[in-house]
Amino acid sequence: MTTEDQPAATGYAGRMAFALQKDPTEPARRTHLHLKLTAVTLAWLVTVPLLLLYGLTGHHRGDDIFNAAAFTTLLGPFAAGVMATRNRRFGLGGAYVVLTLLMVLPAAAITRL
């Protein structure tokens, strides 16, 4: 007797049986998400120090550069957290949200430069 011959369960049991089926595209989707998160994190780790370095040593030393650095300090982990959470990776999204909260104090310090 194959699965096509079995009657389909309805209601709650049917939804649970469908939810337990393995999605064959899940590993590829997860890998793609991790690559995007890695790209966002690396861009964040490179952009913030470059903005700070330019703000401290550049010709046009102004508050706009430091404001952009402070905004980018918070934006990078927040964007990664949103991407992870939208793709149902709640633990990873939570880690990025905690990182965003930890970056509030450095962002405030950057705006005072």
Side-chain angles (χ1 to χ4, degrees):
M1 187 169 186
T2 63
T3 57
E4 292 83 30
D5 298 335
Q6 296 174 352
T10 59
Y12 181 77
R15 289 192 303 271
M16 287 297 105
F18 179 75
L20 290 175
Q21 291 177 353
K22 198 79 160 153
D23 185 12
T25 62
E26 180 63 27
R29 193 175 326 148
R30 184 177 286 177
T31 301
H32 185 68
L33 171 68
H34 286 286
L35 287 174
K36 287 193 302 187
L37 289 176
T38 302
V40 167
T41 304
L42 286 175
W44 172 66
L45 288 172
V46 169
T47 304
V48 172
L50 285 177
L51 284 171
L52 288 174
L53 187 67
Y54 180 73
L56 292 172
T57 62
H59 298 291
H60 302 289
R61 186 170 184 224
D63 292 338
D64 293 337
I65 300 297
F66 293 120
N67 289 339
F71 179 71
T72 307
T73 300
L74 294 174
L75 182 68
F78 180 75
V82 168
M83 284 175 23
T85 304
R86 284 185 53 116
N87 286 292
R88 291 185 229 119
R89 301 286 294 162
F90 300 111
L92 192 56
Y96 275 110
V97 168
V98 168
L99 182 60
T100 302
L101 294 173
L102 290 174
M103 290 293 114
V104 169
L105 290 177
I110 289 171
T111 58
R112 292 180 181 255
L113 290 177

